[in-house]
Each structure stands twice: as C-alpha cells, then as structure tokens.
Amino acid sequence: MALISVDREHGLLTVEFQGLDRLWTLKSRLEIPLAHVRGATHDPGMAREPKGVRVTGTHFPGYITAGRFRQGGERLFWDVKNPDKAVVVALADGGAYDRLVIEVDDPRATVALIERSITRG
C-alpha cells in the first residue's frame, strides 16, 4: 500500500510506498509536480485490465502488480494488491509516467485530496 500526500507549497504530489511495497516496486517514493497531474479516479476495474509489459518491478497475477509497465505506448506505474482500493492518477505528457495505479487505504479521500489540489492550483 502507499500513502499519497500533496505539498501545495512545493507543488508536489508524493507517493510513499510502505513496507514490502518498497521491495515490490523497487522505489521508496515518487514525486510528481502538481502541474502534471490531470486528475484521479477510484477505479477498481483498472486493476483487472491487462497490465502490458513489465519494465521493472513485480507481477504475480492475482496477487500483486508493482513497478513500471508499458502498454500500447503508455507508461504506467503500478502498486496494487487489492483492486478495490485502486486509485488511478492521470498525468500530463512530459513526465516519467502517463498514469499511476496505486492502492491506498481510503480511495475516496485520496481522490478528493488530489482533485481539490489540482483545481486550486
């Protein structure tokens, strides 16, 4: 699971990976400029879609999808074990990823936090 936070002062969305997720994703955190965040949705169905080609990380179908993947020209970053808690963060062109698919403790609160942060600037 991951913790997503927003630092408006520095204009960053931060994803911090907890516990073994650091091992599965091969990352401890991601920092994304808020200017690159287009939106977020709670989308449990996304975690059931084809993942594409794993670039780095871990994929045990039905258990965990974590790390960098490429699918149809898109660059995705995954960290999901429980699809019901999956949040999809859409990112603007120019960054390292096109979308983040991240498992969080409270998907609705996380989506609301992200949406409030990008509409306020």
Side-chain angles (χ1 to χ4, degrees):
M1 189 168 309
L3 297 175
I4 295 180
S5 61
V6 173
D7 179 347
R8 287 188 186 96
E9 183 178 334
H10 295 101
L12 290 174
L13 176 118
T14 302
V15 181
E16 293 199 46
F17 302 102
Q18 305 296 301
L20 287 175
D21 287 356
R22 290 176 173 216
L23 176 66
W24 308 134
T25 63
L26 303 176
K27 295 231 179 243
S28 60
R29 71 188 303 155
L30 295 173
E31 290 184 338
I32 310 291
L34 280 176
H36 290 210
V37 178
R38 292 186 357 216
T41 59
H42 174 213
D43 189 354
M46 175 67 179
R48 293 176 182 88
E49 296 294 320
K51 310 302 182 264
V53 176
R54 178 172 44 105
V55 177
T56 63
T58 307
H59 186 187
F60 295 115
Y63 177 66
I64 187 168
T65 304
R68 293 176 37 206
F69 289 74
R70 289 190 65 82
Q71 180 184 25
E74 267 195 309
R75 298 157 302 160
L76 298 107
F77 190 92
W78 287 81
D79 183 29
V80 176
K81 291 184 294 269
N82 180 353
D84 293 332
K85 294 188 172 199
V87 169
V88 179
V89 180
L91 303 172
D93 295 332
Y97 305 105
D98 297 304
R99 287 190 285 173
L100 309 176
V101 186
I102 307 292
E103 177 183 337
V104 296
D105 187 46
D106 188 342
R108 289 183 181 168
T110 301
V111 167
L113 170 70
I114 294 168
E115 290 294 319
R116 275 193 317 268
S117 299
I118 62 174
T119 56
R120 288 183 188 166

